[in-house]
């Protein structure tokens, strides 16, 4: 989905890294681990998502776990383009061996990690360190991915507060992390900001799990000066929905 840059910017303007909360006239609020598991279904319990620095060359890791290496992966470069993953692994051969199936599955997971869960500001590349986390599927299933997603988003919002304070403009593409998760959370906590054209569908899928599925096809509201309008709303905010 396309993020509402104005809504995200207005929110991040109120983010305080010292407390990891949004400051509103009615008090402080933040996106929590409970919100993450409710909206995304990702695990918040399990092993920490950390990677040990490998002795192996990144090109060798890429070849071993994906079966191929992009031509621009040279020297100390340890990132691959997400578009390369989507092109190279777009069609699984019908007679594929289990090894090839695993390689295609890792490519898909790596694309998901770099394009959705932990995107950088460009959103176009992903670090090969994540490959080491999905080398073994059973081990990969034991990680607390939801907790890592939230931690990464916290860090990115803290970094982006500096951008806003220095430029006084919309974040646009300058925020990494799973921005859609933050947008779903905002629509749940501040229903009057949610897209009106989603109301009927949202009511019909009230029991959707994870809850973020309610908003996948929703379109953001459109205003003349959206950022200014969102700022006015947050300045006048006196209530929030504290549970879903």
């Amino acid at each position: 989905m396309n993020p509402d840059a104005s809504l995200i910017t207005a929110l991040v303007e109120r983010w305080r890294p010292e407390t990891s909360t949004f400051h509103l006239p009615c008090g402080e609020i933040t996106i929590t681990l409970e919100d993450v598991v409710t909206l995304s279904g990702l695990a918040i319990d399990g092993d920490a998502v950390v990677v040990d620095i490998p002795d192996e060359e990144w090109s060798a890791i890429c070849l071993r776990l994906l079966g191929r290496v992009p031509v621009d992966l040279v020297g100390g470069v340890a990132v691959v383009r997400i578009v390369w993953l989507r092109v190279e692994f777009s069609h699984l051969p019908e007679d594929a061996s289990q090894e090839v199936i695993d390689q295609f599955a890792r490519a898909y997971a790596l694309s998901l990690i770099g394009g959705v869960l932990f995107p950088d500001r460009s959103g176009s590349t992903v670090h090969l360190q994540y490959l080491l986390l999905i080398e073994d599927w059973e081990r990969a299933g034991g990680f607390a991915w939801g907790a890592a997603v939230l931690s990464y988003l916290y860090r990115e919002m803290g970094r982006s507060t500096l951008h806003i304070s220095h430029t006084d403009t919309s974040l646009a593409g300058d925020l990494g992390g799973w921005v859609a998760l933050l947008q779903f959370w905002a629509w749940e906590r501040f229903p009057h900001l949610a897209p009106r054209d989603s109301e009927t569908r949202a009511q019909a899928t009230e029991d959707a799990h994870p809850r973020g599925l309610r908003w996948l096809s929703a379109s953001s509201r459109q205003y003349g000066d959206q950022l200014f309008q969102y700022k006015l709303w947050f300045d006048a905010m006196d209530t929030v929905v504290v549970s879903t």
Side-chain angles (χ1 to χ4, degrees):
M1 60 170 291
N2 294 322
D4 185 336
S6 296
L7 173 57
I8 299 302
T9 300
L11 267 175
V12 175
E13 279 186 340
R14 294 181 170 275
W15 180 256
R16 294 297 178 267
E18 302 85 356
T19 57
S20 296
T21 56
F22 299 103
H23 285 215
L24 300 174
C26 57
E28 299 179 36
I29 187 173
T30 193
I31 179 172
T32 66
L33 288 172
E34 182 180 2
D35 291 320
V36 172
V37 71
T38 300
L39 290 169
S40 72
L42 292 174
I44 57 175
D45 295 317
D47 297 329
V49 180
V50 295
V51 180
D52 295 326
I53 299 177
D55 297 326
E56 201 175 358
E57 293 289 336
W58 288 113
S59 58
I61 292 173
C62 192
L63 181 62
R64 176 168 60 85
L65 298 180
L66 293 181
R68 61 196 77 179
V69 180
V71 294
D72 55 354
L73 187 67
V74 294
V77 176
V79 298
V80 295
R81 298 182 184 279
I82 293 176
V83 67
W84 177 81
L85 291 170
R86 292 173 178 168
V87 170
E88 288 293 315
F89 298 90
S90 61
H91 177 69
L92 179 68
E94 293 184 4
D95 58 348
S97 65
Q98 185 59 50
E99 180 183 15
V100 172
I101 292 173
D102 284 340
Q103 290 168 350
F104 270 71
R106 290 193 194 100
Y108 174 78
L110 191 61
S111 174
L112 184 67
I113 288 170
V116 179
L117 302 183
F118 305 103
D120 58 21
R121 282 176 288 173
S122 72
S124 62
T125 61
V126 57
H127 200 287
L128 286 173
Q129 64 182 349
Y130 294 113
L131 259 181
L132 299 174
L133 297 172
I134 54 178
E135 180 176 359
D136 179 86
W137 293 118
E138 184 174 352
R139 179 170 177 262
F143 287 120
W145 292 103
V149 163
L150 184 59
S151 176
Y152 188 87
L153 183 60
Y154 274 18
R155 187 186 72 177
E156 285 297 306
M157 288 193 291
R159 184 194 57 77
S160 294
T161 57
L162 299 176
H163 168 90
I164 295 175
S165 62
H166 290 157
T167 63
D168 195 32
T169 59
S170 171
L171 283 172
D174 194 62
L175 177 64
W178 194 0
V179 176
L181 180 66
L182 180 60
Q183 187 161 310
F184 294 162
W185 172 83
W187 287 345
E188 293 279 347
R189 292 290 177 257
F190 315 112
H192 61 287
L193 301 182
R196 289 176 178 173
D197 61 2
S198 69
E199 289 176 358
T200 301
R201 177 188 46 74
Q203 291 172 3
T205 58
E206 189 67 27
D207 296 328
H209 180 77
R211 196 173 174 85
L213 290 174
R214 303 170 73 230
W215 305 108
L216 280 182
S217 61
S219 300
S220 300
R221 294 186 178 187
Q222 299 296 319
Y223 305 98
D225 188 339
Q226 289 179 281
L227 180 56
F228 179 71
Q229 186 62 59
Y230 282 129
K231 287 181 178 182
L232 289 179
W233 273 334
F234 283 122
D235 285 341
M237 190 76 66
D238 57 2
T239 58
V240 297
V241 176
V242 296
S243 64
T244 56

